[in-house]
Amino acid sequence: MADIPDPTDPTRVASIEATVLNVLSDVLNESLGDLRAQPVLAAHEWDSLASLEVLSQLESRLGINLDLRRYHDVRTLDDLIDLVETAVASRTAAGRR
C-alpha cells in the first residue's frame, strides 16, 4: 500500500494553496498578485456562477467534496484555502483507515 502524504506537510499545503489560487485566478480572470493583495472574494466579481465554477474545479482537481454550507460561508482567500485543506486532510485520513 502506498504511503499517504501527511496533510500537514508544508509542500502539500503550498500545493493546495497554489491550486486554490490558480483556480480562482482562472475563473475570476484576476492575477495572483491581485488576489493576494485583495483577499476578499466579493471584490473580484465573486458571484454565484463563479462560485459554482470554482467549487467544481477544486473538487475535480483535488478529488475532494467540499461541505456546501461551509463553502457558501467563505468570504476570503484564506477562508477558502482553509476549507480546502480541511477537505484534503479528511480525505487523506479516511484513506488511512
Side-chain angles (χ1 to χ4, degrees):
M1 182 171 162
D3 290 334
I4 297 172
D6 180 356
T8 61
D9 173 33
T11 305
R12 183 176 182 122
V13 171
S15 175
I16 292 168
E17 181 176 340
T19 300
V20 171
L21 279 166
N22 286 325
V23 167
L24 283 171
S25 177
D26 290 347
V27 171
L28 298 174
N29 198 28
E30 295 278 351
S31 72
L32 298 178
D34 287 346
L35 290 169
R36 285 187 177 112
Q38 177 49 270
V40 177
L41 297 174
H44 301 284
E45 305 291 325
W46 183 254
D47 59 18
S48 59
L49 292 176
S51 174
L52 288 174
E53 182 63 25
V54 168
L55 174 71
S56 174
Q57 286 194 32
L58 288 173
E59 288 185 339
S60 176
R61 288 185 191 191
L62 296 169
I64 58 174
N65 290 309
L66 294 170
D67 180 290
L68 289 178
R69 288 182 188 189
R70 290 193 59 214
Y71 181 76
H72 288 296
D73 289 339
V74 164
R75 299 290 175 248
T76 67
L77 174 60
D78 288 335
D79 292 345
L80 183 56
I81 291 168
D82 290 344
L83 178 63
V84 171
E85 286 174 350
T86 298
V88 169
S90 294
R91 184 201 67 205
T92 302
R96 290 184 179 156
R97 292 183 199 153

